[in-house]
Amino acid sequence: MSKLLIKNVQLINGVDDNVLENANVLIDDGKFSEINPQSIDDSVETIDGNGQYLVPGFIDSHVHLATEFQPLDQKIAEPFSYNFFKSIEYASRTINAGITTVRDAYGADLGFKKAIEDEIIVGPRMVISVSALSITGGHGDSTNYSGIDVPLILPHPGLPSNIADGVEEVRKKTREILRAGADVIKVMATGGVSTPTDHPKFTQYSKEELEVIVEEASFRNGVKVMAHAQGEEGIQQCLDAGIHSIEHGIYLSDKIIEQMKAQGTFLVPTLLAPVSVIEFAEELGVSEVGLKKSKEVLDVHVESFKKAHQNGVKIAMGTDAGVFKHGTNLRELELMVEFGMTPMEAIIASTKTAAECLELENVGQITPGYFADFVLLKENPLENIGSLKDNDNILVVGKEGKILKDIR
């Protein structure tokens, strides 16, 4: 692979608070090679940053690339395979927004991940959960009170069904999901906002069931578990069972926050999810009960995020994209800043800390030896973090040194 020089940029490396002015970044064989190299051959391909800001490719720790909410009549009218082709667009939109790595929290199977790796389609690097374990009647159970089942994503070869009850069932189902190629195990530990038969405060799995899921995952080369966990009791059980990351974390007590900090548990707050559901409810086909619950949890969700941040909990950026429109992901950073983070803290939560949450040791930083994932920005994000939500301000996106977007 040829070398690439990105010159004349204001460099935010994703590691610390420093901004390196008038920097030059050399990429060699898909990795960052040198910062401010002493000499460069005239034949090296060059991108002139024109004094604009260069940041690492952003990481979204919680997406659903294989789906996007839509009105029910549209959903049931579409052929089964049609959604696979729409997912190609979702992946492209994600890149267009400056997201070069995602953790998919239910729906994307190994074939989707491999299609991106083999460059059959354009999309972000993927860490996949494949499915999401749920109890009968829980947040991952799509059966309505009418008895009609309207799944977010239909099970199919490569995507095992997700319902499991009791210790032995969850043990077997965890093994099935690992067999399907999961990099991480997702569990619905509490109820949620969008499903009709539960509530965010409802506890789903028992501590014993959660411990078995963690145990089975760890047997497979230390695979971690991420938990949709919104209610206080369910979050507490996740922490006691040794779960790696808490997704959403709406009801966080002082005790939970203290334990998360002590254990190094990650919080992936997804502040954008309820905000977008409320703003675009009709367009997304959100049910009346889903809209009502989103409004109910909004304020307490924000307060929990503020407390977690103030008390030093490790926060990794995640959005729940798919519950709302893909490609709007970086609005999450604006919300994180609105609710207490500095712009640099929000950027690091979306780069270095998110990479740590995903256990990826070679992304999330503009550092020699790391994969050359980068974004060239039109505006200074430290002065206007909200500029990131406009994809027209995302000028260039590179993944492993390959330019996937360039609208300069």
Side-chain angles (χ1 to χ4, degrees), residues 3-19:
K3 294 182 179 181
L4 173 66
L5 179 70
I6 307 173
K7 70 177 186 178
N8 188 25
V9 294
Q10 313 306 308
L11 177 61
I12 296 174
N13 62 14
V15 182
D16 52 44
D17 292 344
N18 297 321
V19 178

Side-chain angles (χ1 to χ4, degrees), residues 174-215:
T174 301
R175 291 173 178 176
E176 288 180 4
I177 294 169
L178 288 167
R179 181 181 64 188
D183 303 304
V184 61
I185 293 295
K186 166 81 175 292
V187 58
M188 305 295 199
T190 71
V193 170
S194 60
T195 39
T197 58
D198 58 20
H199 186 276
K201 290 185 177 180
F202 291 178
T203 301
Q204 294 194 173
Y205 283 114
S206 67
K207 180 171 175 283
E208 290 73 24
E209 289 168 314
L210 294 172
E211 287 173 337
V212 166
I213 295 167
V214 171
E215 178 184 36

Side-chain angles (χ1 to χ4, degrees), residues 12-48:
I12 296 174
N13 62 14
V15 182
D16 52 44
D17 292 344
N18 297 321
V19 178
L20 185 60
E21 298 182 353
N22 302 316
N24 300 317
V25 179
L26 182 63
I27 295 167
D28 187 2
D29 196 25
K31 294 184 178 181
F32 295 116
S33 175
E34 292 183 71
I35 310 298
N36 289 333
Q38 295 298 310
S39 62
I40 293 293
D41 191 295
D42 290 340
S43 64
V44 171
E45 181 184 356
T46 300
I47 292 176
D48 191 341

Side-chain angles (χ1 to χ4, degrees), residues 156-378:
H156 54 267
L159 186 74
S161 62
N162 64 325
I163 304 300
D165 300 295
V167 166
E168 292 311 312
E169 277 194 25
V170 298
R171 188 188 303 278
K172 182 177 181 180
K173 187 62 66 174
T174 301
R175 291 173 178 176
E176 288 180 4
I177 294 169
L178 288 167
R179 181 181 64 188
D183 303 304
V184 61
I185 293 295
K186 166 81 175 292
V187 58
M188 305 295 199
T190 71
V193 170
S194 60
T195 39
T197 58
D198 58 20
H199 186 276
K201 290 185 177 180
F202 291 178
T203 301
Q204 294 194 173
Y205 283 114
S206 67
K207 180 171 175 283
E208 290 73 24
E209 289 168 314
L210 294 172
E211 287 173 337
V212 166
I213 295 167
V214 171
E215 178 184 36
E216 286 296 327
S218 68
F219 287 160
R220 189 70 63 90
N221 295 324
V223 169
K224 295 295 193 295
V225 179
M226 60 187 295
H228 164 106
Q230 300 183 349
E232 183 177 335
E233 182 183 56
I235 297 170
Q236 183 64 63
Q237 290 190 163
C238 287
L239 296 179
D240 292 342
I243 279 172
H244 179 69
S245 69
I246 300 298
E247 313 297 304
H248 317 301
I250 292 174
Y251 295 94
L252 299 181
S253 67
D254 292 342
K255 179 179 181 295
I256 283 172
I257 287 172
E258 183 179 343
Q259 188 171 345
M260 289 183 72
K261 183 177 179 181
Q263 293 181 190
T265 309
F266 289 88
L267 172 65
V268 182
T270 68
L271 297 168
L272 186 53
V275 171
S276 291
V277 164
I278 292 168
E279 289 181 355
F280 303 104
E282 184 175 352
E283 183 178 352
L284 296 170
V286 176
S287 66
E288 183 177 341
V289 66
L291 180 58
K292 180 181 178 181
K293 286 191 286 184
S294 293
K295 292 178 178 178
E296 176 187 338
V297 304
L298 189 59
D299 289 343
V300 68
H301 193 181
V302 168
E303 289 307 309
S304 288
F305 169 80
K306 288 180 177 178
K307 287 195 301 181
H309 170 245
Q310 290 165 1
N311 287 277
V313 172
K314 293 192 292 187
I315 296 175
M317 191 276 279
T319 65
D320 219 0
V323 170
F324 53 89
K325 289 185 177 181
H326 293 285
T328 64
N329 311 56
L330 292 187
R331 187 181 174 194
E332 180 79 14
L333 279 75
E334 183 179 44
L335 294 175
M336 294 165 87
V337 171
E338 180 181 346
F339 301 133
M341 281 188 167
T342 67
M344 189 65 85
E345 285 177 326
I347 289 170
I348 292 175
S350 311
T351 53
K352 179 177 181 288
T353 307
E356 292 171 353
C357 180
L358 273 56
E359 298 202 298
L360 298 175
E361 297 180 353
N362 51 3
V363 300
Q365 301 179 31
I366 299 180
T367 298
Y370 277 62
F371 283 125
D373 298 352
F374 60 87
V375 178
L376 183 66
L377 304 172
K378 185 176 182 179

